[in-house]
Structure formats: C-alpha cells, structure tokens
Amino acid sequence: MTGTMRPQDLIDSPVVDPAGSKIGKVGTVYLSDDTHQPEWVTVKTGLFGHRESFVPLNGADLANDGLHVQVDKDQVTDAPQIDADGHLSPEDSGELYRYYGLPMQRDRAGEDRADRKRDSMRRDKDEMGGMAGTAGTAGAAGTAGMAAKDKEATAAKHEHRDAKKQRGGEDMIRSEERFNVGTEEVEAGRVRLRKYVVTEEQQVSVPVSHEEVRIEREPITDGEAGKARIGEAEQDVILHAEKPVVRREAVPVERVRMGKERVTDTETVTGELRKEQIEIDDDSKLRDRDRDRKNR
C-alpha cells in the first residue's frame, strides 16, 4: 500500500486493475489487527454487483480516478467467497493471502502472546526447580494432577469426535447465485426546442374602387341666340383608382413550452446464474455389487 489511506476516502471509490479495467466499487474497508491501517477492501462484483470479493491493498495507490490495485479483474472475480461480516479471522486472512500469492503478515499480537507464555513457563520452571529439594512429594502430586487433566482433555476430544460421527460426519454448504436487480438513472437522450422560418404563399381578397367617366347630356332651352360660338374645345378630367398596397408586420400568434414527465415501462432482464449441486459417491454399494458377482 502506497502512503497512508483513510477508510473514509476508500468507501465507494472505483477499483482499477493494472490493465486499467474497472473491477467495481469499494464496499467495506478491513483494517489490520496489528497496524490498524487498511489491509483489505471488498469490491462489489458479479452480475448487478451482488457479490463482494476481497482485494488486497498491498501496493495499491489511491488516485483521482480511483483505487489502483496490483491484482487483475479476473483474479478478483474468482477469489474465495468469504462472509464480509466486518472482521477477518486468521484462517480467512491466510486463505486470501495464499490465493493472491502474497507473503503472510506477521501477527505481532500473537507473537507477543507467545512471548508472554514462554516467559511465564520459564518462571514456573525456575520456581519448581527451587522447590524440588523440599517439596518433592508436592511436585509428584502436581505432576499427577497435570497428567489427569491431560487424560480428561483427551477423553473429551474423543467424545466430541464420536458425537460428530453419530451426527453423520462432515457437512457441506450448497450455494447458488440469485439476481439482485436494481435500476440506475442514465442519460437517455437530449431534446432541443428551436424555431425556423418557412415561406408560404397566401392570397387575400381586397376591395378596390376606381373612377369612370359618365357622359350626361342636358338640353338648353333658354339660351340667347347669337352668343354661342361654333368651334373645337377640350376639357381634361382626372380619373382616380385604388390599388392594393401590401405591408408585412410580425405579430405573436402562439407560445410553445417544453416540459417532461416520467413514464414507467417494464423491461425483462435475462442472465445466467450458477448454482451448486451435491451428489453422493457411495463406494459401499460398488463393493456390495462386486461381492454379489463373486458369490454367483
């Protein structure tokens, strides 16, 4: 493990193998019993992330893009399945170290206990040696008492083994995979509202008026003779007419809003699940059949 990592910084961090492949996200951080520093993390793997596999932090590095570990994705996926109950027993820890091919860490607490036990035994031996000249009988009685205790312990061990045989011997746990289906929200698309201009041809009927010449004739009955002149004359009359005039102006006609609503559909998820089967290989039946053949 490179540097010092805090458990709160590791939770939910992406885990990346040396090839750059994403293994999963950190679920639980396990501390060393000796150093109290992060030693293992569990990573959610498998279909839909319902399995948790242990990943060693030996040589790991926490970067901005996630936790970089020194084991590949396939090795993590095939790691031994150990119950993630918040603490690793020495047996479980040893199994994981052997699987990943890592050197076992020294159990300092265990060594301290062993040292204390050796010191205690040495002191007891010295005390017994000093009392041997004056308390030989008591020493013999103590030795006999220890022998009796060993005998009782051996008898209890045999009794436990016999009781286990009566229950039917070793047991086996059968496991199977199950779907743990959930949903996550992802971006499905982008909708954009825009407007553009189109040109249409329209016809509008407009009433127009114009002036026309009308000739009116009115006879003169009271005209004086000798005052009229005969000759040519002209008179202009200006005629007016209306014509359509088109002016264009932009006016608002409609307001368009864009909203979204949630619609729930049903999708079917298909995947392969593994499960263990248990079968019995009974050699006694084979021996019975061979015995029957020989008797015939």
Side-chain angles (χ1 to χ4, degrees):
M1 183 173 61
T2 304
T4 301
M5 300 182 185
R6 299 184 303 175
Q8 58 267 29
D9 296 336
L10 297 174
I11 297 298
D12 290 334
S13 297
V15 181
V16 184
D17 69 356
S21 300
K22 182 178 178 182
I23 303 176
K25 287 188 177 181
V26 175
T28 308
V29 180
Y30 284 76
L31 304 181
S32 172
D33 292 337
D34 299 332
T35 64
H36 301 289
Q37 295 296 324
E39 182 180 9
W40 299 89
V41 294
T42 61
V43 179
K44 298 177 181 179
T45 60
L47 189 63
F48 303 110
H50 70 282
R51 293 177 54 190
E52 286 195 67
S53 301
F54 280 84
V55 178
L57 293 179
N58 186 12
D61 182 30
L62 183 60
N64 293 330
D65 58 343
L67 179 63
H68 293 259
V69 297
Q70 299 301 315
V71 293
D72 56 28
K73 183 175 182 180
D74 294 337
Q75 193 175 12
V76 174
T77 304
D78 298 335
Q81 292 299 303
I82 297 176
D83 293 336
D85 56 357
H87 184 268
L88 280 177
S89 65
E91 293 78 9
D92 294 337
S93 180
E95 183 180 359
L96 290 173
Y97 271 108
R98 287 190 296 272
Y99 171 77
Y100 285 108
L102 299 175
M104 291 285 293
Q105 292 189 357
R106 296 176 59 188
D107 188 358
R108 298 176 183 173
E111 291 179 355
D112 293 340
R113 290 193 297 270
D115 292 339
R116 289 195 298 268
K117 185 175 181 180
R118 284 194 295 269
D119 293 340
S120 178
M121 293 177 63
R122 190 181 297 110
R123 287 194 299 269
D124 294 342
K125 184 177 181 181
D126 294 339
E127 292 176 357
M128 291 179 64
M131 298 174 61
T134 58
T137 305
T143 303
M146 293 177 62
K149 290 183 179 179
D150 293 340
K151 186 175 181 180
E152 291 177 358
T154 303
K157 185 182 297 183
H158 287 296
E159 183 179 355
H160 176 72
R161 185 177 58 188
D162 294 339
K164 191 173 183 180
K165 288 183 179 180
Q166 293 178 0
R167 290 197 305 265
E170 299 292 340
D171 55 0
M172 182 177 294
I173 298 176
R174 189 181 69 85
S175 303
E176 64 181 17
E177 297 177 340
R178 294 182 179 179
F179 280 140
N180 185 9
V181 181
T183 60
E184 62 176 351
E185 189 166 332
V186 298
E187 184 175 331
R190 190 182 299 272
V191 179
R192 186 178 295 106
L193 186 65
R194 66 185 181 89
K195 64 180 181 179
Y196 57 94
V197 178
V198 297
T199 302
E200 297 178 350
E201 183 176 351
Q202 294 186 357
Q203 294 181 354
V204 180
S205 298
V206 181
V208 295
S209 62
H210 64 278
E211 296 177 342
E212 295 181 352
V213 176
R214 185 174 69 240
I215 304 298
E216 295 181 356
R217 299 177 183 272
E218 181 181 352
I220 300 175
T221 57
D222 55 353
E224 296 181 0
K227 291 183 177 182
R229 293 181 180 180
I230 296 176
E232 296 180 356
E234 291 182 0
Q235 186 175 359
D236 294 333
V237 177
I238 299 175
L239 301 177
H240 297 84
E242 294 178 343
K243 66 177 182 179
V245 178
V246 179
R247 291 190 304 270
R248 289 177 293 187
E249 61 179 354
V251 295
V253 295
E254 187 180 17
R255 177 178 283 107
V256 179
R257 293 188 182 91
M258 182 172 61
K260 61 181 181 179
E261 61 180 3
R262 183 175 294 273
V263 180
T264 302
D265 296 331
T266 301
E267 294 187 5
T268 302
V269 179
T270 304
E272 294 182 354
L273 295 177
R274 299 180 303 170
K275 64 179 181 179
E276 299 172 342
Q277 298 289 349
I278 298 177
E279 60 180 11
I280 300 175
D281 294 334
D282 193 352
D283 295 339
S284 61
K285 295 182 179 180
L286 296 177
R287 290 194 296 268
D288 292 341
R289 285 198 294 267
D290 293 340
R291 190 182 302 109
D292 293 339
R293 293 194 189 98
K294 291 180 180 180
N295 294 332
R296 292 175 184 175

